[in-house]
Amino acid sequence: MNHNPIDQFHELKNRLTRFMMMYKFALDEMETKVEILKEEFQLLHDYNPIEHTKSRIKSFESIFRKVMRKGCGTSLEDIREGVRDIAGLRITCSFISDIYSISEMLQRQADLKIISIKDYIKNPKPNGYQSLHMLVQVPVYMSDRCEMVYVEVQIRTIAMDFWASLEHKIFYKYDESVPVQLLQELKEAADTAAELDRKMQRLHEEIKAIKSPQSSDSSKFIIGDQKFELPVGLLEFIRTESDPQ
Ligand code: GTP
Ligand code: MG
């Protein structure tokens, strides 16, 4: 064992870099998955269920606070198991139905291990908080090994996100002891946001029912930044190809 403090510092820094790096890679993997779902939807259904995504890695300070709060061990292995939201991905959708579609699409992906799902939309928290939380493990392949890394995915609508970010700010401002009157008003605001989500969902379904299918006769389409043009005679070619002999 090397007792030189400088060497020890470098070794610790190295271990922490490796530890945090895994979460960054896991988030990259998850973001690519979500980006693919988003693009596929846009291309095939001319509709985008995802408004935006945001990922974050917990700061050392927050990790440390959570370790203290939970009383879990302080080795990196203990922290890995004890603090499962070091990597977080938030997906904001347009409608409630989109939340469940995205969640089901992720659940069908064979390489993702679903650890738990908490549905705070069907069962909102007493303060009014709503979101769908999925705890997953995503495989990260490196030069010599594969590691399953925890990522906490929060899926919510714009209204749910609006409420949660305001509530979070208020909580911080009052140092976690928010006046009762304000809590009451926040709960009312959450109910209003939920009512708005339900109304938007109804409108969305009504519009979907009357919207005629896209009848684009253009022979051009775009994937990524590349333009494609269907050659004349393609239809006949494909028919001949797929017809039984
Ligand atoms: P933590 O130990 O805080 O992670 O709670 P938990 O393990 O019971 O997980 P839970 O699924 O309840 O919450 C995880 C995350 O959801 C939090 O870190 C927040 O980002 C978010 N969240 C949960 N409840 C609330 C809430 O009441 N208000 C806001 N603004 N965010 C919340
Ligand atoms: Mg958390």
Side-chain angles (χ1 to χ4, degrees), residues 130-189:
Q130 292 201 12
S131 274
L132 187 76
H133 291 188
M134 291 174 78
L135 181 67
V136 303
Q137 275 186 320
V138 57
V140 175
Y141 289 90
M142 275 152 310
S143 55
D144 57 346
R145 68 207 154 99
C146 171
E147 206 175 291
M148 296 298 284
V149 182
Y150 287 109
V151 176
E152 184 187 81
V153 184
Q154 301 180 347
I155 319 177
R156 45 171 78 157
T157 61
I158 305 168
M160 293 171 193
D161 191 48
F162 184 27
W163 183 91
S165 45
L166 181 66
E167 193 261 1
H168 184 72
K169 272 185 213 145
I170 292 174
F171 220 67
Y172 263 82
K173 217 178 190 86
Y174 284 92
D175 205 12
E176 304 189 5
S177 53
V178 186
V180 179
Q181 169 67 18
L182 201 46
L183 289 177
Q184 179 66 33
E185 284 189 280
L186 271 172
K187 174 68 175 66
E188 282 167 25

